[in-house]
Amino acid sequence: MPRIGLVLGAGGVVGHAFHVGVLKALEEATGWDPRDAEVIVGTSAGSHVAAYLRAGASASDLAARIAGDGAAMVDRGMHQRLGDPFPVPAPRPAFGLTAPRLLARGVTRPWATLPGAVLAGWAPRGRVSLRAFAARINWLFPDRDWPQRPLWLPAVDLREGRLTVFGREGAPRTDVGTAVAASCAVPGWFTPVEVDGVPYVDGGARSVTNLDLLAAEGLDLVVVSSPMSISGAAGPRLRTGARWSLRLRLGQEARKVRRRGTDVVAFQPTPADVAVMGWNAMNPTRRREVVRQAYASASHRLARDSAMARLAPLTQVAAGR
């Protein structure tokens, strides 16, 4: 049976909506249930969706929830457990830097410090706590047990300036809610999340997808949803700036995975998707439109025989369930 990895990247509340739209389209087109992924890597917004999948929520139910159509959710018990989408508090940065000591480390030991961690250290310290957010995630996991199937949640350690992957062997032990909060703690917006006295911030400070973490896992296929980059269909106007640079970074990570014998299929926003997503990734008013647009865009791509041929391992897994 093919072994499938799923990578869900950063992207704020808009990225969350993009993920569930893509996953719903994938499930309908291939029959593959994202909950069956061998390993799920979730960064920032992706960690949130990844936790929901490992808690048992289906892609179609997650899409219905974000689209504001709770009545369409098949699992009514899950609807009650998830509740309404989280409100998005406004940023309230404090005076002072997030991690001033890390800046000195970046100068004295640049080879051992992630550049993104140094940038995070320069950000003003966020004052919005993620405690309530973490507690609500933990409500989905009785006794705060970590899921049996691999769930990897990257976050950046502000003490050493390194990546930590919660849920992977060797990482500090914590509950899923705290790990999700750490991976979502956008520097300058949210207060860093502490685990064993070490402060952590958004795993996107290292990579918006952290796809390359799966290079050595011996998978047959990795499916990536990357809300912050841009598809190859982008015109000249969009082939510059942050989205295009993140597309190039994703390509580098994908080549690293492919060199180890694992194919990678990435879903990135089309120009039409970007127009609906807007410039503010934390804008909750865009959620419903983005779910519908991402679903439509992914469905259009999956209607092509060439796309389905690349995703044949998904149909094989679905047929063997």
Side-chain angles (χ1 to χ4, degrees):
M1 188 71 66
R3 301 176 68 242
I4 312 299
L6 177 61
V7 172
L8 303 172
V13 296
V14 169
H16 184 137
F18 179 84
H19 287 318
V20 298
V22 167
L23 293 176
K24 178 184 178 184
L26 265 173
E27 185 170 16
E28 289 184 359
T30 67
W32 176 70
D33 189 333
R35 293 174 292 187
D36 291 336
E38 183 80 14
V39 55
I40 305 178
V41 178
T43 300
S44 197
S47 71
H48 193 182
V49 178
Y52 281 170
L53 292 172
R54 285 302 194 226
S58 70
S60 58
D61 278 355
L62 291 176
R65 172 177 177 265
I66 296 299
D69 190 10
M73 292 180 67
V74 175
D75 187 340
R76 302 301 299 168
M78 181 60 69
H79 180 207
Q80 293 175 351
R81 292 169 66 197
L82 292 178
D84 294 328
F86 293 102
V88 181
R92 293 181 287 111
F95 291 106
L97 302 179
T98 295
R101 292 184 180 180
L102 185 60
L103 306 183
R105 181 181 175 85
V107 173
T108 59
R109 301 189 65 193
W111 62 89
T113 310
L114 290 170
V118 176
L119 292 175
W122 273 107
R125 187 175 180 84
R127 293 193 296 173
V128 178
S129 172
L130 286 167
R131 288 182 181 176
F133 172 77
R136 195 164 165 188
I137 295 290
N138 280 331
W139 177 253
L140 301 173
F141 296 90
D143 302 320
R144 296 195 176 184
D145 289 339
W146 201 269
Q148 291 186 343
R149 287 189 169 183
L151 171 65
W152 292 3
L153 307 178
V156 170
D157 168 354
L158 285 181
R159 180 174 294 176
E160 300 293 332
R162 299 173 182 170
L163 185 73
T164 293
V165 184
F166 292 107
R168 189 169 69 171
E169 185 176 356
R173 293 181 60 82
T174 188
D175 54 77
V176 176
T178 298
V180 170
S183 189
C184 288
V186 177
W189 194 309
F190 298 109
T191 303
V193 174
E194 291 197 0
V195 177
D196 294 337
V198 177
Y200 292 89
V201 292
D202 198 314
R206 188 258 185 181
S207 163
V208 295
T209 63
N210 291 293
L211 163 62
D212 55 340
L213 294 176
L214 294 180
E217 294 306 303
L219 301 169
D220 296 287
L221 172 67
V222 176
V223 176
V224 183
S225 174
S226 175
M228 293 187 71
S229 53
I230 186 80
S231 75
R237 186 177 64 84
L238 291 173
R239 291 186 180 180
T240 58
R243 282 191 176 275
W244 192 256
S245 66
L246 293 173
R247 171 183 170 80
L248 297 178
R249 171 64 185 269
L250 176 60
Q252 292 173 347
E253 295 187 16
R255 285 191 291 274
K256 183 176 179 180
V257 175
R258 290 185 180 119
R259 282 197 297 267
R260 302 295 289 270
T262 299
D263 196 13
V264 177
V265 175
F267 289 80
Q268 303 175 83
T270 65
D273 297 338
V274 171
V276 174
M277 294 168 82
W279 63 270
N280 180 7
M282 300 298 282
N283 183 356
T285 66
R286 299 266 179 167
R287 284 172 168 146
R288 297 184 183 185
E289 294 177 85
V290 171
V291 169
R292 298 187 184 104
Q293 174 61 35
Y295 170 76
S297 188
S299 296
H300 178 75
R301 175 180 174 183
L302 292 165
R304 300 197 297 266
D305 291 341
S306 58
M308 290 300 291
R310 293 279 306 280
L311 294 168
L314 301 187
T315 59
Q316 292 174 38
V317 172
R321 290 187 69 189

